[in-house]
């Protein structure tokens, strides 16, 4: 992979001028390369990795990993059913995987009931779905290569003399 892409993959906020110094190129050449990658669809977007456990608000969501067993369609394989599934707004990611199941979905909802309702009412009834297994995420320790440090509360009792 291109050095510019490797740098941006680790930190999308590195200025073109800094990247130019790292890869021994002119800043304008780096800016042009980035624009080219965006135009070609190589760079899809820049995003922040957020430790949502540190945000205490009413808009928090529940995430689930859902394994899906499907019957591939004639002449199109898994692609058409995967496209139908990833079109649901609840599905944030969809992967074709090897093993017992065919697809791995990451699904978000406002609570456990919402995710369960999605599986029961939208996902499971689809033609070609043979079975699902849902795993709710309880705690994240690492995401996209970044260790998510949690606030540690001091549980010791203060001692005074």
């Amino acid at each position: 992979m291109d050095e510019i892409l490797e740098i941006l993959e680790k930190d999308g906020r590195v200025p073109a001028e800094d990247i130019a110094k790292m890869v021994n190129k002119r800043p304008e050449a780096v800016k042009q390369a980035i624009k080219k990658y965006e135009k070609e669809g190589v760079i899809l977007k820049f995003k922040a990795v957020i430790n949502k456990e540190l945000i205490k608000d009413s808009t928090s969501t529940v995430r689930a990993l859902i394994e899906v067993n499907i019957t591939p369609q004639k002449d199109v394989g898994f692609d058409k059913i995967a496209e139908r599934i990833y079109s649901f707004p609840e599905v944030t990611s969809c992967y074709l995987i090897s093993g017992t199941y065919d697809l791995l979905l990451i699904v978000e909802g406002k609570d456990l009931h919402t995710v369960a309702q999605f599986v029961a009412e939208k996902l499971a009834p689809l033609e070609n779905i043979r079975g699902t297994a849902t795993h709710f995420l309880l705690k994240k320790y690492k995401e996209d290569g970044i260790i998510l440090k949690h606030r540690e509360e001091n549980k010791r009792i203060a001692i005074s003399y």
Side-chain angles (χ1 to χ4, degrees), residues 37-132:
Y37 288 135
E38 289 174 331
K39 185 178 178 184
E40 292 174 349
V42 174
I43 295 175
L44 299 175
K45 76 178 208 175
F46 296 91
K47 87 175 208 185
V49 178
I50 298 169
N51 188 349
K52 291 183 181 178
E53 288 188 24
L54 297 180
I55 301 170
K56 304 294 182 205
D57 64 7
S58 60
T59 61
S60 63
T61 58
V62 171
R63 289 180 108 190
L65 300 176
I66 302 175
E67 297 169 307
V68 183
N69 203 334
I70 64 177
T71 303
Q73 292 179 315
K74 186 177 180 179
D75 298 326
V76 292
F78 297 103
D79 294 345
K80 282 292 182 193
I81 189 73
E83 185 177 334
R84 178 129 189 243
I85 291 169
Y86 69 62
S87 296
F88 288 116
E90 297 89 346
V91 177
T92 61
S93 298
C94 179
Y95 307 97
L96 179 64
I97 59 174
S98 63
T100 307
Y101 290 90
D102 304 304
L103 295 178
L104 177 65
L105 311 178
I106 299 177
V107 173
E108 286 189 357
K110 67 177 183 172
D111 54 30
L112 295 173
H113 177 74
T114 305
V115 174
Q117 193 172 8
F118 165 76
V119 174
E121 295 177 6
K122 293 182 179 179
L123 183 61
L126 288 176
E127 187 178 348
N128 300 350
I129 301 294
R130 294 187 303 175
T132 64

